[in-house]
Amino acid sequence: MAEIAWKYEQKMLINGWNQAKWAKHYSSDHQILLVGEGDFSFSASLARVFGSADNIVATSLDSYDLVIKKYKMAQANLQILYNYGAQLLHEVDATRMKLHTDLHLRKFDRIIYNFPHAGFLGNENDQRVINKHRNLVRGFFENASCMLRPGGEVHVTHKTTGPFVTWNIEDLASKSSLALLGCVEFNITDYPGYNNKRGDGSRSDHPFPLGKCSTYKFISSLTSKKSNNPHCNYQQSPRILSNSGNRVMYLSSGDCFTIFKEYFDEAVSMFGETDDHLSYSVRSMLGMGFERVKMVNHVNPLNDYVNLLKELRYMSKRRTAYLQNHLLELDHHRYGL
Ligand SMILES: C[S@@+](CC[C@H](N)C(=O)[O-])C[C@H]1O[C@@H](n2cnc3c(N)ncnc32)[C@H](O)[C@@H]1O
């Protein structure tokens, strides 16, 4: 394993692929939006690893003055982020952010909300309190789902025990056409310098016990027509557009998952295994994709298909880079390389 990882590393160095810096799931190549920050230590942790933050937009619900007052390390963290070139925004409500002046034209590869919580409003087991938290998360998903770049992901880190599981964030995400891509155990040591905060009440600056928690990763599950997501305003030009006769057909980004459904299902089901019939199965799945494109655009399907293939290739390359990085990480943990 170590040898394979070393070869990958050499190859990446030779080919200049190693320029991106990674902090667990996040890369310096991603456009990243952070929502509901406490003392901004998570954003600052990413910035330190990347050695830059011009790909980061870090936001808080609280005003600048309140953030500084609430958290003793906030000013220092904000200064680090500013020095590294991050865009810093305050008074950003996660449930309305798609309309924010500085955000409404932006799209991101990763939108992150760590430990969403509407505040200490009573017993966490009380259904009314749970509903407040669920409304916050639902509103966040509604907005974030409209702010993703092709292949982008929404990440929520959340406790997986007690009343927190009953928020059922997967269900909330699905209401905004977001599908669970994966759920990975959260380990705070992956983000040196990050201090999780209660964020509300007289002990805002205190940490809360993390216990068992995970990062839930969601991707858009939107199907062929953009109008399928009622929460998004799609006035901007779609990325992939073809003209069929006098009708304009849209095969947007995100359609890739629908068109090549079997391809993605296969990739997930054979993860970590080998497939003797790989070249055959990939070809036949791409064929199914073409049949589906023909159903949407029977006049001139080729153009749409080629565009979707390009998108698939882009996603595969990113997936490969992610897996290579993950492999190196595993080696790092196992062998201390
Ligand atoms: C438990 S704290 C977590 C803070 C920080 N993310 C962390 O991991 O330390 C919950 C955070 O959600 C923020 N929050 C609550 N409602 C919000 C909303 N509508 N929009 C954005 N942030 C919100 C609070 O200001 C607080 O910072």
Side-chain angles (χ1 to χ4, degrees):
M1 173 76 97
E3 201 185 326
I4 297 170
W6 186 81
K7 278 185 189 156
Y8 266 128
E9 198 162 20
Q10 292 308 304
K11 207 171 168 188
M12 284 195 254
L13 280 170
I14 292 163
N15 295 334
W17 296 350
N18 210 20
Q19 281 150 5
K21 298 213 173 82
W22 285 83
K24 190 70 181 173
H25 316 292
Y26 311 109
S27 148
S28 53
D29 275 352
H30 292 146
Q31 287 298 313
I32 302 175
L33 171 66
L34 295 115
V35 173
E37 280 286 82
D39 71 349
F40 285 81
S41 55
F42 189 86
S43 303
S45 168
L46 298 187
R48 274 192 294 264
V49 174
F50 299 160
S52 157
D54 46 20
N55 60 325
I56 291 179
V57 181
T59 73
S60 66
L61 177 66
D62 296 329
S63 66
Y64 173 81
D65 288 348
L66 194 53
V67 169
I68 299 301
K69 199 169 148 197
K70 270 167 96 168
Y71 308 103
K72 62 180 184 311
M73 288 306 292
Q75 194 156 21
N77 291 329
L78 286 167
Q79 190 62 51
I80 289 170
L81 285 160
Y82 178 81
N83 292 345
Y84 276 125
Q87 186 177 1
L88 301 169
L89 301 173
H90 302 283
E91 301 179 68
V92 176
D93 183 340
T95 64
R96 298 174 50 79
M97 62 183 177
K98 70 181 178 196
L99 304 172
H100 190 282
T101 338
D102 293 300
L103 296 174
H104 77 285
L105 292 175
R106 300 282 308 266
K107 297 273 187 262
F108 298 91
D109 299 299
R110 297 288 181 274
I111 302 179
I112 306 167
Y113 193 169
N114 291 320
F115 302 105
H117 194 264
F120 295 98
L121 308 162
N123 189 327
E124 295 291 342
N125 290 295
D126 183 331
Q127 194 54 48
R128 279 167 305 182
V129 173
I130 291 173
N131 288 346
K132 295 259 185 215
H133 297 315
R134 279 174 54 89
N135 284 340
L136 167 64
V137 179
R138 183 188 294 117
F140 164 66
F141 283 139
E142 263 175 37
N143 281 257
S145 64
C146 303
M147 300 168 75
L148 285 177
R149 293 172 93 181
E153 296 173 18
V154 177
H155 288 191
V156 172
T157 297
H158 186 55
K159 287 178 173 238
T160 53
T161 52
F164 304 98
V165 220
T166 68
W167 297 13
N168 200 348
I169 64 169
E170 269 185 74
D171 173 55
L172 297 174
S174 71
K175 292 185 166 53
S176 292
S177 307
L178 291 169
L180 189 69
L181 177 68
C183 184
V184 185
E185 201 176 325
F186 177 80
N187 187 347
I188 195 164
T189 56
D190 289 329
Y191 306 98
Y194 167 48
N195 294 301
N196 63 298
K197 298 294 178 187
R198 288 167 60 87
D200 187 42
S202 56
R203 292 189 295 137
S204 289
D205 204 12
H206 288 223
F208 52 86
L210 286 173
K212 275 188 178 294
C213 42
S214 290
T215 300
Y216 292 74
K217 303 177 177 187
F218 299 96
I219 49 167
S220 172
S221 63
L222 268 192
T223 50
S224 56
K225 296 284 184 297
K226 282 210 161 213
S227 55
N228 278 4
N229 189 341
H231 307 297
C232 302
N233 173 7
Y234 291 116
Q235 295 308 309
Q236 291 155 293
S237 310
R239 216 165 66 82
I240 298 166
L241 177 138
S242 69
N243 208 332
S244 89
N246 51 5
R247 280 180 312 146
V248 175
M249 303 292 303
Y250 298 108
L251 273 172
S252 65
S253 151
D255 286 329
C256 218
F257 288 103
T258 313
I259 297 291
F260 298 123
K261 185 180 178 310
E262 293 79 7
Y263 179 91
F264 288 105
D265 287 351
E266 175 84 351
V268 171
S269 69
M270 57 171 265
F271 183 78
E273 294 169 22
T274 52
D275 180 354
D276 292 340
H277 310 292
L278 192 66
S279 60
Y280 168 77
S281 62
V282 167
R283 227 176 279 167
S284 87
M285 284 163 209
L286 295 184
M288 286 182 212
F290 187 54
E291 292 308 313
R292 255 187 218 118
V293 174
K294 276 200 290 189
M295 277 169 9
V296 182
N297 180 355
H298 23 260
V299 181
N300 179 16
L302 215 51
N303 212 21
D304 268 351
Y305 185 64
V306 168
N307 279 328
L308 286 168
L309 278 180
K310 281 183 193 158
E311 189 175 351
L312 185 66
R313 181 163 173 266
Y314 169 77
M315 282 183 195
S316 302
K317 278 171 81 173
R318 286 187 47 171
R319 177 84 185 137
T320 306
Y322 168 82
L323 289 173
Q324 284 169 343
N325 187 61
H326 197 61
L327 188 67
L328 287 171
E329 236 174 53
L330 283 176
D331 259 4
H332 184 75
H333 285 302
R334 277 200 202 143
Y335 303 106
L337 284 175

